Amino acid sequence: MSKPSIPQGTRDFSPLVVQRRQYILNTLKNIFEIYGFQPIETPAMENLSTLTGKYGEEGDRLIFKILNNGLHEQTDERKILRFKEWEKMQNQAYSSTEITERALRYDLTIPFARYVVMNQNDIALPFRRYQMQPVWRADRPQKGRYREFWQCDADVVGSNSLINEAELFCIYQSAFEAFKVPVNIKINSRKILAGLADLCGIPNQLTDLTIALDKLDKIGWDGVMAELTTRNIPTEHFYIIADIINNTKNITDNTKIILVLKDFFKSSSIGSAGVQELETALNYYSQLANNKKITNNITIDVTLARGLNYYTGIIVEVVCTHPQVKMGSIGGGGRYDDLTGLFGLKGISGVGVSFGIDRIYDVIEELQLFPTHVETGTQALILNFGGENETYSLQILQQLRNAKIRAEIYPEASKFDKQMKYANKRGITYILLPGDEERKNNKVSLKNFVTSTQELVTIEECIAAITL
Amino acid sequence: MSKPSIPQGTRDFSPLVVQRRQYILNTLKNIFEIYGFQPIETPAMENLSTLTGKYGEEGDRLIFKILNNGLHEQTDERKILRFKEWEKMQNQAYSSTEITERALRYDLTIPFARYVVMNQNDIALPFRRYQMQPVWRADRPQKGRYREFWQCDADVVGSNSLINEAELFCIYQSAFEAFKVPVNIKINSRKILAGLADLCGIPNQLTDLTIALDKLDKIGWDGVMAELTTRNIPTEHFYIIADIINNTKNITDNTKIILVLKDFFKSSSIGSAGVQELETALNYYSQLANNKKITNNITIDVTLARGLNYYTGIIVEVVCTHPQVKMGSIGGGGRYDDLTGLFGLKGISGVGVSFGIDRIYDVIEELQLFPTHVETGTQALILNFGGENETYSLQILQQLRNAKIRAEIYPEASKFDKQMKYANKRGITYILLPGDEERKNNKVSLKNFVTSTQELVTIEECIAAITL
C-alpha cells in the first residue's frame, strides 16, 4: 500500500490551526454584523457556464472542472458525440458540457452576483452581505499560494453612496485593530487613473497604464517606464506620470494630497470626479471615526491600481506596516459598476472589500499575536486508576463539564507514565488524580502542569481552581 | 442571456438560514470541546486513489471527480494515451489518472483515517477529533437529499474502552437536550447480530441478515421475511429471529433486556460478548449521567443494524420522538476496527458518531425551536435625512456600534417611505430618526417597529433601550 497523501496545494488543518482560523473568522464575522452585514453561503459547485468568461482567459484555465457522472451509462450515439467533444477539449482551451457541466467556485464575487440576481425579489436593496468560504484555483502551488484557500468578502450592492466606502474603510480599521496588526489602508480611485490617462492623452490605454503602475512597488519607476514603453505609451508622457507620483508621495496629510490632486486634475473632468470622491469618502470616514481612536493610517496612494478590471471607482488595499513582516497586501477591494449585469440585472453598483485569511493568519502568527484563549483544547484530564476509582472519576468528570470545564478521562486504566505522557503531549494543564484515599475523602489530587504544584482539594475547590 | 441557476442538488443559504445553521454547528462545537474533542479540517479535494474502493461499488460511482487541468497542453503521444483511457472510461466504471486524479470528499471518515495515518507522529492516542465540513455525492437529488451537504462527526481512535461509547451517548444526550429536541438513542451491537446469525447457523450470512433486519422499520416483519427469503436464509430460522425481536420489543428497562439477551445468547460466545459490551457501556453511561438529569431515552434495540459494513461493535442511532416529526434517523454511529488499516496503520480501533445537520435543521425548524437570539441581523437603522443631519447620524452610528449594537445608516438621503420600506423588509426593530430638532438638542427619535412606539431620547437612553 502506498503512503497516503493529499493533492498538491491543499492542506489539512490540525486542531490548533483550526482554532486560530476560527478566531480570525469569528472576529471578522462579529465586526461585519456590527456594521449591519448579513451572511450568505453559496455552493462549492457552480454551473460551469456561470463561471467561464468572468475571470479572463487565464482565469478560465484555472477553474477546476468536475467530470460529469455516469459517463459509461449511455448510448453508443452519445458516446460518439462525446468522443468528438473530448477531442476538441484536447486541442484547445474548451470545455464541453458533454464532459463537464459543473466547476468549483473560483472566487466569492461571481457567485454573489449570481445570488443577487436569482434572489432579487427577496433581497432588500441596498444589500450588505458577507461571505467566508473556500475557493479553488488550479494555480501552480508555491509558498503562500494554495489551490484551496478561503476568501472573506464584504460587499454592499444597490447604493452609490460613498458612505459605503467609508464604512468599509472602518471595517478594515476595526478588524486590524482587533487583531492588533498595524496596517496602512491605501486608497485611490480608478477615476484618478483615468484622469491621468486623460492628461497624457491616452484615454484608450487606461488598462495598459493601470497594469504598469500596479507594478511600481515590485519593479520600481525604471521598471514601470520599461513596461509603459512595451505597452506603446509614448515616452513624452512619462513626466506627467512621474510628476503626480513625486508631488504626492511624501505627503502624509490626506487634505494636502487632495489639494495637490485638485490642482493637478483641474483640466480633467474624470480626474476631478475621482478626487472629489476621495475627499467625500474621507470626510465620511472621519465623521464615522470621530468617536473612536484610530490606530491605523489611511492614505491616498495615486499609484494604487488593483489588478481587476471590473473596478470603476474608489479602490483600497491594506498592507501590514510592521517592520518584521514582509508581505504583500492582506486585503483589498473597491467599487464596481454593474457586476450583476453579467447575469442580466443592469444598473446595480456595488463596493466591496476582501480579507486575505491565509496571509492574515501568517502575519498574526509571525507577530505572535494569537490570544491564548483561542486555544480551546482540553483543560483537565482525569487519570484512570480503574475499578471503583474509575467510577468515582466518571462522576467527577461530568461535574467538571457541567461547570463548563473542557475535561476528559483517560479511557483505559493504563500505566501512570503512559497516561502522563498523553497529558503532556496534549499540553493539558490540569491533571486530576483520584486514588483510593482521595475517593474515600470525596476529594481529588489536583496537579498543575504549568506551576508543577499538586494539592489535595474538594471537587468544588478543584472546579474553582481550574475556572479561576 | 439565460437566467442564472445553480447545479441540481445544491443550495444557496440566505442570511437567516446561515445564522440558524451556525447556531447548530456552534452548539455542537461547544459540546464536543467540553468533552475534550479537538477540531480538524481536511481539504475538499482528495486524491481519487484515497477515496475509490472505500464506499463500495455504488459509492465509487457517486464520487464527484475533478477533471485534470491543462488537458490541451500536451504532446500528441500523451493525447493518444489519453484517448485510450477515455475510451475505457466510456465503457466501464473506471477512472483514469490521465483524466482525473482528484475528487471531492465523499464523507469525513475516510479523510479522517487518512489524516490519522499521515499525522500519526504528531497525534497523541487516544485521539478525539470532531470535524464539521461539507461532502459531495452524485446521488439523485430528492426531498431532503442533496449533492452538497454537511456532515458533522466526532470520533475517538486508539482506545478500546467502552467509556468512549458511553461518552458519545452523553454527547448525543447533551446535544439534543441543548436543541430541546426529544429523541430516543437506540443502541445495539454488531456482535449481537453476529450472535443471532450464529444461533441460526448462518454465520456466513451475517451481512444478508443485517441488511434485511435494517429494513424492519420501513417494510415490517413480513417484508423482512421476504427479504430474508430472497437472500437465501432458510425459513426454519425465522422463528429465532422473531423470538428475539418479540421478547425484547416491549421492554423499556434496559436492565431487563440485558437479562433476556444474556439468556438468549448463552450458547453463542460472540452474542454473549455483545450483550456484555452493551451492559458495560450502559453502566458507564449511567455513572457519567449521575449528576445530570437525563431528558432523553437510551434503549437497546436488537433490530438496529446500521447499513455500513465497517462497524464491528456497539452501534447507535438517534430518532426524534416528537409526534409531529416524521423523519428517519438524525444521527448514528458505532465502533469500527482497523479503519486506518486501509492506509497501512493496523490495529487501531475507533468509535464515532455523526450528526445529520440538514435533518436536525428541519426538525428544529418544524418544532419552531430556533432561539430568536441566533438571528444576528441589524438591530438599529438610522434614517438618512442628508446634510448636517447625515453628519450627526454618522456620529451616532459609531456610538451604537461601540456599544455592540448591530447598526447601519441608510446610505442615501432617499424619501422617507423608501427608507422605511427597507427597514420593514429587513425586519429591523429600532429606527432612529435624527432630524433638525433632534440634532440641535443632541437627541434622537427612537421608533420601535414591534411596539409601534416612538420617543425622543438622548443617545445614551437610545443605547440603553436597544441593549435592554
Side-chain angles (χ1 to χ4, degrees):
Chain A
M1 184 169 326
S2 64
K3 270 170 74 173
S5 64
I6 52 175
Q8 250 202 317
T10 69
R11 292 164 289 175
D12 282 326
F13 295 126
S14 57
L16 183 61
V17 179
V18 174
Q19 287 155 10
R20 289 177 166 181
R21 289 172 64 90
Q22 281 299 329
Y23 156 71
I24 295 176
L25 296 176
N26 281 334
T27 303
L28 294 177
K29 171 185 145 66
N30 289 334
I31 291 171
F32 292 150
E33 292 181 353
I34 282 289
Y35 280 82
F37 285 71
Q38 304 176 276
I40 70 160
E41 285 178 13
T42 62
M45 290 195 286
E46 291 276 351
N47 289 322
L48 185 52
S49 58
T50 299
L51 305 186
T52 41
K54 310 301 191 301
Y55 306 107
E57 215 176 286
E58 172 70 3
D60 277 357
R61 265 202 303 276
L62 300 183
I63 294 171
F64 276 113
K65 294 155 196 90
I66 295 162
L67 203 57
N68 292 350
N69 277 69
L71 284 179
H72 56 286
E73 288 163 343
Q74 296 293 344
T75 58
D76 283 351
E77 228 167 40
R78 190 73 179 272
K79 283 180 190 169
I80 290 164
L81 171 64
R82 226 188 264 134
F83 266 104
K84 287 183 185 158
E85 291 290 286
W86 170 250
E87 193 160 19
K88 270 167 78 181
M89 279 180 63
Q90 296 283 298
N91 291 310
Q92 47 181 300
Y94 164 82
S95 294
S96 166
T97 54
E98 275 298 315
I99 289 139
T100 171
E101 290 181 302
R102 287 172 287 255
L104 292 180
R105 187 168 52 216
Y106 183 86
D107 74 354
L108 301 180
T109 308
I110 293 298
F112 171 53
R114 178 202 45 73
Y115 176 92
V116 170
V117 174
M118 281 177 70
N119 295 278
Q120 52 187 291
N121 295 329
D122 302 321
I123 288 173
L125 290 182
F127 181 48
R128 304 149 82 82
R129 87 84 171 80
Y130 72 89
Q131 195 172 352
M132 310 193 286
Q133 292 191 279
V135 301
W136 295 268
R137 295 184 184 180
D139 239 326
R140 189 186 305 273
Q142 59 184 51
K143 190 178 178 316
R145 193 204 278 161
Y146 303 99
R147 288 184 158 178
E148 170 174 294
F149 59 97
W150 279 62
Q151 285 194 338
C152 173
D153 287 10
D155 289 78
V156 188
V157 293
S159 165
N160 294 308
S161 166
L162 292 161
I163 289 180
N164 298 303
E165 272 83 343
E167 295 244 75
L168 292 169
F169 302 162
C170 283
I171 284 180
Y172 270 145
Q173 155 65 24
S174 301
F176 291 104
E177 186 178 87
F179 295 135
K180 299 189 171 55
V181 170
V183 296
N184 185 11
I185 302 166
K186 299 195 290 185
I187 60 171
N188 193 18
S189 170
R190 274 293 168 97
K191 288 177 184 163
I192 283 182
L193 296 172
L196 191 56
D198 229 12
L199 294 183
C200 294
I202 49 161
N204 297 329
Q205 287 179 284
L206 172 59
T207 304
D208 291 310
L209 177 68
T210 305
I211 293 172
L213 266 185
D214 202 24
K215 299 182 181 170
L216 184 65
D217 273 355
K218 283 181 197 143
I219 59 179
W221 175 243
D222 287 348
V224 170
M225 284 196 291
E227 178 88 26
L228 289 168
T229 308
T230 316
R231 294 179 173 274
N232 296 317
I233 293 178
T235 328
E236 64 201 79
H237 302 314
F238 291 4
Y239 81 95
I240 303 182
I241 305 167
D243 229 28
I244 184 76
I245 297 175
N246 292 328
N247 288 349
T248 54
K249 74 174 172 190
N250 290 322
I251 309 178
T252 51
D253 182 347
N254 289 321
T255 321
K256 286 182 187 154
I257 297 183
I258 295 279
L259 285 178
V260 173
L261 293 179
K262 276 189 175 167
D263 185 56
F264 190 87
F265 285 110
K266 61 181 180 288
S267 65
S268 161
S269 62
I270 187 146
S272 296
V275 179
Q276 185 56 55
E277 284 180 4
L278 283 179
E279 187 176 23
T280 306
L282 282 171
N283 272 340
Y284 281 137
Y285 178 70
S286 57
Q287 285 157 18
L288 278 167
N290 200 23
N291 288 289
K292 203 163 160 74
K293 196 175 148 280
I294 299 291
T295 54
N296 292 303
N297 295 322
I298 182 160
T299 51
I300 296 171
D301 177 350
V302 294
T303 68
L304 178 67
R306 303 281 307 153
L308 286 167
N309 248 325
Y310 58 66
Y311 291 127
T312 51
I314 286 179
I315 47 182
V316 55
E317 191 168 283
V318 180
V319 287
C320 176
T321 51
H322 195 287
Q324 199 180 321
V325 175
K326 302 276 167 271
M327 179 80 79
S329 74
I330 53 179
R335 180 169 288 275
Y336 42 84
D337 284 330
D338 210 27
L339 192 70
T340 55
L342 290 167
F343 300 107
L345 183 63
K346 300 281 181 197
I348 293 191
S349 180
V351 56
V353 292
S354 193
F355 285 82
I357 300 300
D358 289 299
R359 287 183 168 188
I360 291 170
Y361 184 101
D362 290 345
V363 170
I364 297 178
E365 187 171 51
E366 182 159 0
L367 299 177
Q368 298 183 302
L369 292 171
F370 279 114
T372 48
H373 71 77
V374 310
E375 297 171 28
T376 53
T378 298
Q379 297 164 282
L381 174 74
I382 307 182
L383 297 195
N384 190 332
F385 295 143
E388 283 182 66
N389 292 331
E390 187 181 74
T391 308
Y392 179 56
S393 297
L394 292 176
Q395 289 159 8
I396 298 173
L397 178 57
Q398 222 60 355
Q399 290 179 61
L400 298 183
R401 289 172 178 163
N402 291 347
K404 304 281 174 218
I405 293 168
R406 298 185 300 275
E408 54 184 282
I409 183 173
Y410 196 85
E412 344 243 347
S414 306
K415 284 193 181 137
F416 182 80
D417 282 357
K418 190 176 176 189
Q419 297 192 42
M420 287 303 279
K421 206 175 147 192
Y422 169 81
N424 195 29
K425 195 164 183 182
R426 282 286 310 279
I428 298 171
T429 302
Y430 293 98
I431 314 297
L432 279 67
L433 302 94
D436 292 339
E437 279 312 305
E438 284 87 349
R439 174 170 50 80
K440 283 170 193 158
N441 296 303
N442 244 324
K443 292 197 168 183
V444 68
S445 290
L446 178 67
K447 190 180 171 67
N448 183 323
F449 239 125
V450 176
T451 59
S452 291
T453 52
Q454 182 171 328
E455 48 180 344
L456 187 70
V457 291
T458 63
I459 310 305
E460 292 69 29
E461 287 166 345
C462 172
I463 289 171
I466 297 171
T467 50
L468 192 68
Chain B
M1 185 170 323
S2 63
K3 271 170 75 173
S5 63
I6 52 176
Q8 250 203 317
T10 68
R11 292 165 290 174
D12 283 326
F13 295 127
S14 57
L16 183 60
V17 179
V18 174
Q19 287 155 8
R20 290 177 166 181
R21 290 172 63 88
Q22 281 299 329
Y23 157 72
I24 295 175
L25 297 174
N26 281 334
T27 303
L28 294 177
K29 170 185 146 65
N30 289 333
I31 291 171
F32 292 150
E33 291 181 354
I34 283 287
Y35 280 82
F37 285 71
Q38 304 176 276
I40 70 161
E41 286 178 13
T42 62
M45 290 194 287
E46 291 277 351
N47 289 323
L48 184 52
S49 59
T50 299
L51 305 186
T52 41
K54 310 301 191 300
Y55 306 108
E57 214 176 288
E58 172 69 4
D60 277 358
R61 265 202 303 275
L62 300 183
I63 293 171
F64 276 112
K65 294 155 196 92
I66 294 162
L67 203 57
N68 293 351
N69 276 68
L71 284 179
H72 57 285
E73 289 162 343
Q74 296 292 344
T75 59
D76 283 352
E77 229 166 37
R78 190 72 178 273
K79 283 181 191 170
I80 291 164
L81 170 64
R82 228 188 262 135
F83 268 104
K84 287 182 183 157
E85 291 290 286
W86 171 249
E87 194 161 16
K88 271 167 78 181
M89 279 181 62
Q90 297 283 297
N91 292 310
Q92 47 181 298
Y94 164 84
S95 293
S96 165
T97 54
E98 274 298 315
I99 289 139
T100 171
E101 291 181 303
R102 287 172 287 254
L104 291 180
R105 187 168 53 216
Y106 183 85
D107 74 355
L108 302 180
T109 308
I110 293 298
F112 171 53
R114 178 202 45 74
Y115 176 91
V116 170
V117 174
M118 281 178 70
N119 296 278
Q120 52 187 292
N121 295 328
D122 301 322
I123 288 172
L125 290 182
F127 181 48
R128 304 150 82 84
R129 88 85 171 79
Y130 72 89
Q131 194 171 351
M132 310 193 285
Q133 292 192 279
V135 301
W136 295 268
R137 295 183 184 181
D139 239 325
R140 190 186 306 273
Q142 60 184 50
K143 191 180 177 315
R145 193 205 277 161
Y146 302 99
R147 288 185 156 174
E148 170 174 295
F149 60 97
W150 279 62
Q151 285 193 338
C152 172
D153 287 10
D155 289 77
V156 189
V157 292
S159 165
N160 295 309
S161 167
L162 293 160
I163 289 180
N164 299 303
E165 272 83 343
E167 294 244 76
L168 292 170
F169 302 161
C170 283
I171 285 180
Y172 270 144
Q173 155 66 24
S174 301
F176 291 104
E177 187 178 86
F179 295 134
K180 299 189 171 51
V181 169
V183 295
N184 185 12
I185 302 167
K186 298 196 290 183
I187 60 171
N188 192 18
S189 169
R190 276 291 168 96
K191 288 176 184 163
I192 283 182
L193 296 171
L196 191 55
D198 228 11
L199 295 183
C200 294
I202 49 161
N204 297 330
Q205 288 179 282
L206 171 59
T207 303
D208 290 311
L209 177 67
T210 305
I211 293 171
L213 267 186
D214 202 24
K215 299 181 181 169
L216 184 64
D217 273 354
K218 283 181 198 145
I219 59 178
W221 175 241
D222 288 348
V224 169
M225 285 195 292
E227 178 88 25
L228 290 168
T229 309
T230 316
R231 294 179 173 272
N232 297 318
I233 293 178
T235 327
E236 66 201 78
H237 304 314
F238 291 4
Y239 80 94
I240 303 182
I241 304 168
D243 229 27
I244 183 76
I245 297 174
N246 292 327
N247 288 347
T248 55
K249 74 175 172 189
N250 290 321
I251 310 178
T252 50
D253 182 346
N254 289 321
T255 321
K256 287 183 187 152
I257 297 184
I258 295 279
L259 286 177
V260 172
L261 293 178
K262 274 188 176 166
D263 186 57
F264 190 88
F265 286 111
K266 60 181 181 288
S267 65
S268 160
S269 62
I270 187 145
S272 297
V275 180
Q276 185 55 55
E277 284 180 4
L278 283 180
E279 187 176 23
T280 306
L282 283 171
N283 272 339
Y284 281 136
Y285 177 71
S286 57
Q287 285 157 19
L288 276 167
N290 200 23
N291 287 288
K292 203 163 160 68
K293 194 175 148 281
I294 299 291
T295 53
N296 291 304
N297 294 322
I298 182 160
T299 52
I300 297 172
D301 177 349
V302 294
T303 68
L304 178 67
R306 304 281 308 152
L308 285 166
N309 248 326
Y310 57 66
Y311 291 127
T312 52
I314 286 178
I315 47 182
V316 55
E317 190 167 282
V318 180
V319 287
C320 176
T321 52
H322 195 288
Q324 198 179 322
V325 175
K326 302 275 166 271
M327 178 81 79
S329 74
I330 53 180
R335 180 169 288 273
Y336 42 85
D337 285 330
D338 211 26
L339 192 70
T340 55
L342 289 167
F343 301 107
L345 182 64
K346 300 280 181 200
I348 293 192
S349 180
V351 57
V353 292
S354 192
F355 286 82
I357 299 300
D358 288 298
R359 288 183 168 189
I360 292 169
Y361 184 100
D362 290 345
V363 170
I364 298 178
E365 187 171 50
E366 183 161 357
L367 298 177
Q368 298 183 304
L369 292 171
F370 279 114
T372 48
H373 71 77
V374 310
E375 297 170 28
T376 52
T378 298
Q379 297 164 281
L381 174 74
I382 306 182
L383 296 196
N384 191 331
F385 295 143
E388 283 181 63
N389 292 331
E390 186 182 74
T391 308
Y392 180 57
S393 297
L394 291 175
Q395 289 160 8
I396 298 172
L397 178 57
Q398 222 59 357
Q399 289 179 60
L400 298 183
R401 289 171 178 163
N402 291 347
K404 305 280 175 219
I405 293 168
R406 298 185 299 275
E408 54 184 282
I409 182 173
Y410 196 86
E412 345 243 346
S414 305
K415 283 192 182 139
F416 182 80
D417 281 358
K418 189 176 176 188
Q419 298 192 41
M420 287 303 280
K421 206 174 148 194
Y422 169 81
N424 195 29
K425 195 162 182 183
R426 283 287 309 280
I428 298 171
T429 302
Y430 292 99
I431 315 296
L432 280 66
L433 302 95
D436 292 339
E437 279 312 302
E438 284 88 349
R439 174 171 50 80
K440 283 171 194 159
N441 295 303
N442 244 325
K443 293 197 167 181
V444 70
S445 290
L446 178 66
K447 189 180 171 66
N448 183 323
F449 239 126
V450 177
T451 59
S452 291
T453 52
Q454 182 170 327
E455 49 181 343
L456 188 69
V457 291
T458 64
I459 310 306
E460 291 69 29
E461 288 165 344
C462 172
I463 289 171
I466 297 172
T467 50
L468 191 67

